[in-house]
Amino acid sequence: MSEGEASSGRVANAGSALRGLYAVTPDERDDARLAALAEQVLSARPALLQYRNKLAGPQQRRAQAGALLRLCRAARVPLIINDDLALALEIGADGLHLGRGDGDPAAARRALGAGRILGVTCYADWERARAGAEAGADYVAFGAMFPSSTKPGAPPAPFALLGRAKAELRLPVAAIGGITLDNAAEVIAAGADLIAVVSDVFAAPDPAMRATAYRALFQRPPRRALVPQMPDAAP
C-alpha cells in the first residue's frame, strides 16, 4: 500500500480483482454479533463485503459500517456500502452499490471519484445495465437468478444476461438472488464473476467454512457452457 493509500485507509487496487464471493451482510440488530460473523467470513477472503442493514437506524448504521470497515482493512477486503452514498463517503468505504431508485449512477461516480468501486443492480433490465456501464459502474449485477427471500418481488433474470454483459459491456458481472452452494457453480458457469450471497453464508453453522467453499468454486477450471445441438438436416 502506498503512503497515499495508507493515509486514506482504502484497500489498494480495490477494484482490480472483482471475482469471487460477494458476501452481503444480513439485517442484524446486534452489533457484536454482526462483527463476529463478518470476521469469520472475512477470514476466507471474499472478493467483496457489502454492508446492508434495512433494520438499523442512521446512528447504528454508522457504527456498524465503521466497525466493518476496520475488519475489512485488516483482512484487505474491500467494503461496499449498499444504497447510501453519504455513509460510504463519511466513513471512507471502498465503494457503493446502488439498487433501482437508490440514486443516479453517474452522480455517484462523480462523488466517489475514480478510486472507489461502484456497482449497479440491474435485475433483468438490459438497458439499466448498459446505462450503468456508461455511467462508470465497475460491475453490474443481475437477479434474481433463483427465488429469493431477500428480494421476493424481483423478476427472474435469464442466465443469458450474464454472458451478454461480459461480452458487450466488458465489465465484471455479479449474480444475485437465491444463490446457494448447491446452485452457485451453475451461475459461475453461465458467466458470473461475482456471486452475491447473504443467508447461505452468514446463517451457516460455520460461516468461515461456507465462505471458503464458495471461494473454492472460483478456483476450479471453468466449465464449458452447453451448446444446444441442432437436429441433422433432412436428406
Side-chain angles (χ1 to χ4, degrees):
M1 182 179 294
S2 71
E3 181 177 350
E5 287 160 342
S7 64
S8 70
R10 288 188 284 115
V11 175
N13 300 319
S16 62
L18 295 181
R19 180 169 173 79
L21 173 64
Y22 188 174
V24 181
T25 62
D27 294 326
E28 176 59 62
R29 295 185 184 275
D30 187 321
D31 295 0
R33 174 172 167 77
L34 178 62
L37 288 171
E39 191 166 20
Q40 293 180 64
V41 173
L42 288 169
S43 70
R45 294 296 299 274
L48 299 171
L49 179 71
Q50 182 190 127
Y51 173 59
R52 178 185 183 276
N53 192 340
K54 300 298 185 181
L55 300 180
Q59 185 173 352
Q60 186 177 32
R61 283 172 54 80
R62 284 193 295 273
Q64 289 186 341
L68 291 176
L69 183 64
R70 290 189 289 274
L71 293 174
C72 284
R73 289 289 176 266
R76 296 185 64 79
V77 172
L79 176 68
I80 307 298
I81 303 298
N82 182 67
D83 294 347
D84 193 335
L85 175 60
L87 178 59
L89 295 174
E90 179 182 350
I91 70 167
D94 298 298
L96 174 73
H97 184 88
L98 291 178
R100 182 179 295 162
D102 294 314
D104 174 34
R109 175 80 282 165
R110 290 192 295 271
L112 291 169
R116 291 185 172 93
I117 301 168
L118 175 63
V120 177
T121 291
C122 308
Y123 298 98
D125 186 343
W126 173 254
E127 287 306 312
R128 179 170 170 80
R130 185 182 56 77
E134 292 177 354
D138 294 292
Y139 68 87
V140 292
F142 294 100
M145 307 311 301
F146 304 97
S148 169
S149 59
T150 304
K151 294 284 187 181
F159 278 33
L161 280 175
L162 304 176
R164 180 182 180 186
K166 286 174 68 71
E168 297 187 27
L169 302 181
R170 306 294 181 122
L171 288 177
V173 178
I176 61 177
I179 298 174
T180 69
L181 201 56
D182 292 331
N183 59 34
E186 181 182 358
V187 181
I188 295 169
D193 300 290
L194 296 160
I195 46 175
V197 185
V198 186
S199 59
D200 198 54
V201 169
F202 282 93
D206 187 331
M209 183 177 295
R210 184 60 58 88
T212 299
Y214 274 100
R215 180 179 178 180
L217 293 176
F218 288 90
Q219 297 170 339
R220 298 175 183 173
R223 290 167 48 187
R224 293 182 60 187
L226 296 177
V227 179
Q229 297 295 311
M230 299 300 291
D232 294 333

